[in-house]
Amino acid sequence: MNLTILGCYAATPRTFTNPTSQVLEIRNRLFLIDCGEGTQVQLRKNKIRFSKINHIFISHLHGDHFFGLVGLVSTFMLLNRASDLHIYGPKGIKEIIDLQLRLSNSWPNYGLFFHELESKESEIIFEDEKVIVKTIPLKHRIYTNGFMFQEKKRERKLDLNAVQNYEIDKCYYQNIKNGKDITLEDGRVIENHKLTFDPIPPLSYAFCSDTAYDESIISLIKEVDILYHESTFLDSEESLAGKTMHSTAKEAATIALKANVKQLVLGHYSTRYESLELFKEQAETIFPDILLAEDGKSFEF
């Protein structure tokens, strides 16, 4: 699983920082999460192929999280995209993008599908044979979701030496990898664990965008491998965090601790601070395993 941070700052873009956007690669699927201004430039800088992006997840309709979307949709058209594009986001996102495309007479020549979200409860919004994506309802000034990306359990790995010792025909290999026991011609039943190795444990990633401190999400992100949680403010601006319905670095760390996550990635920093290390220092007083998101930085998990 690879996470590339395209932008991780709050509010307005600057010449050296970008608003929220990131790419998650999991089981050979590429998911774009949020799409602030400058996203397509950041995609190019990080050498991420546009054609590999088939699913875009938008957390909420504040500009620093989706103002880059219509530009990306239009660029896909200019690049003669052929494959379908699916966009998941709050109700109203289709109306906004449709209006921009219609008035500019630039409706794409590929399939553009919107999956509008309204539920205040967690729900499955994407699923295939390898990955499942669920919403994480967040507490912000407008309707907002985070997203939980979970690998499905992989096939078991064949122990070729054991399989060959029992002279098992290759036509049974897939059943064995699916976890089934095998009955030999002499009637003996060989238990699956004697023929296979455990698969690599599935990984999970939770993206929690703009949100006030909210313990109701803990049950939804319990024991997730990687948690990205907004940390807009430091302790000195705690009152401002409450007014704007954002979180401090310590609050993000508290959520990580109570949810027993493995690693916490901080991001969505206010541009008022000169050093990101201050966020890490404050968060580490509560939770030990802290990573700092930075524009252009990739994490391999």
Side-chain angles (χ1 to χ4, degrees):
M1 183 167 68
N2 180 273
L3 176 67
T4 301
I5 305 298
L6 304 177
C8 59
Y9 286 82
T12 57
R14 299 182 292 179
T15 57
F16 54 96
T17 63
N18 296 274
T20 301
S21 186
Q22 53 187 246
V23 170
L24 179 69
E25 185 173 5
I26 181 170
R27 296 292 294 275
N28 295 318
R29 274 72 171 151
L30 210 65
F31 299 117
L32 178 64
I33 309 170
D34 276 348
C35 191
E37 290 179 76
T39 291
Q40 54 183 313
V41 174
Q42 287 295 94
L43 287 169
R44 292 192 185 280
K45 281 185 178 180
N46 288 278
K47 295 180 173 56
I48 296 170
R49 291 175 58 191
F50 285 22
S51 60
K52 292 189 69 177
I53 298 172
N54 297 315
H55 300 273
I56 300 176
F57 298 84
I58 303 296
S59 61
H60 64 297
L61 297 181
H62 279 160
D64 57 329
H65 294 261
F66 90 105
F67 276 175
L69 182 58
V70 70
L72 186 60
V73 168
S74 297
T75 295
F76 283 155
M77 179 189 65
L78 296 174
L79 295 176
N80 296 314
R81 181 187 179 96
S83 57
D84 294 343
L85 179 66
H86 294 264
I87 297 173
Y88 309 78
K91 184 175 176 60
I93 193 168
K94 182 178 187 299
E95 180 183 0
I96 294 170
I97 301 301
D98 277 358
L99 179 63
Q100 291 174 305
L101 294 174
R102 179 170 58 83
L103 293 180
S104 64
N105 193 26
S106 55
W107 191 255
N109 50 6
Y110 55 87
L112 180 60
F113 300 94
F114 291 91
H115 306 266
E116 294 195 306
L117 309 175
E118 297 181 81
S119 176
K120 295 183 179 180
E121 303 294 327
S122 179
E123 59 181 338
I124 296 171
I125 56 174
F126 171 84
E127 183 174 10
D128 66 10
E129 70 276 12
K130 292 185 178 181
V131 180
I132 186 168
V133 184
K134 302 175 184 177
T135 57
I136 305 170
L138 299 175
K139 187 178 180 182
H140 195 42
R141 302 193 302 277
I142 60 173
Y143 178 76
T144 305
N145 283 301
F147 303 103
M148 169 71 84
F149 299 83
Q150 295 172 298
E151 286 185 328
K152 290 187 175 180
K153 191 174 181 180
R154 297 170 184 257
E155 294 178 336
R156 297 187 64 78
K157 293 186 176 181
L158 282 178
D159 181 343
L160 285 176
N161 288 331
V163 169
Q164 291 168 359
N165 284 339
Y166 287 109
E167 298 182 349
I168 297 172
D169 193 280
K170 289 183 179 179
C171 68
Y172 296 107
Y173 282 10
Q174 188 59 52
N175 283 341
I176 296 171
K177 289 193 288 184
N178 290 341
K180 294 182 180 180
D181 298 337
I182 293 295
T183 302
L184 303 180
E185 291 183 2
D186 60 10
R188 285 182 296 159
V189 176
I190 310 301
E191 296 175 337
N192 186 268
H193 70 85
K194 295 180 180 179
L195 302 171
T196 60
F197 301 111
D198 290 337
I200 298 170
L203 293 175
S204 54
Y205 173 71
F207 170 84
C208 290
S209 179
D210 297 17
T211 182
Y213 179 80
D214 183 14
E215 293 189 359
S216 69
I217 69 171
I218 289 173
S219 62
L220 301 176
I221 62 172
K222 198 76 174 175
E223 297 182 347
V224 70
D225 291 291
I226 312 298
L227 168 65
Y228 176 96
H229 195 291
E230 76 123 282
S231 55
T232 307
F233 297 108
L234 298 176
D235 265 7
S236 52
E237 280 69 47
E238 185 176 5
S239 62
L240 187 56
K243 290 178 183 177
T244 59
M245 301 189 77
H246 284 291
S247 297
T248 66
K250 280 188 177 180
E251 287 173 334
T254 301
I255 292 292
L257 180 68
K258 291 188 175 183
N260 194 31
V261 310
K262 291 188 176 70
Q263 285 187 301
L264 171 64
V265 181
L266 298 178
H268 199 265
Y269 316 110
S270 169
T271 55
R272 72 187 64 225
Y273 305 109
E274 293 184 2
S275 172
L276 298 185
E277 287 299 320
L278 296 172
F279 290 89
K280 186 176 183 180
E281 290 172 9
Q282 291 195 359
E284 282 180 336
T285 63
I286 295 171
F287 185 80
D289 206 340
I290 304 290
L291 298 172
L292 289 174
E294 295 182 48
D295 291 7
K297 188 171 185 178
S298 289
F299 301 97
E300 188 75 38
F301 302 110

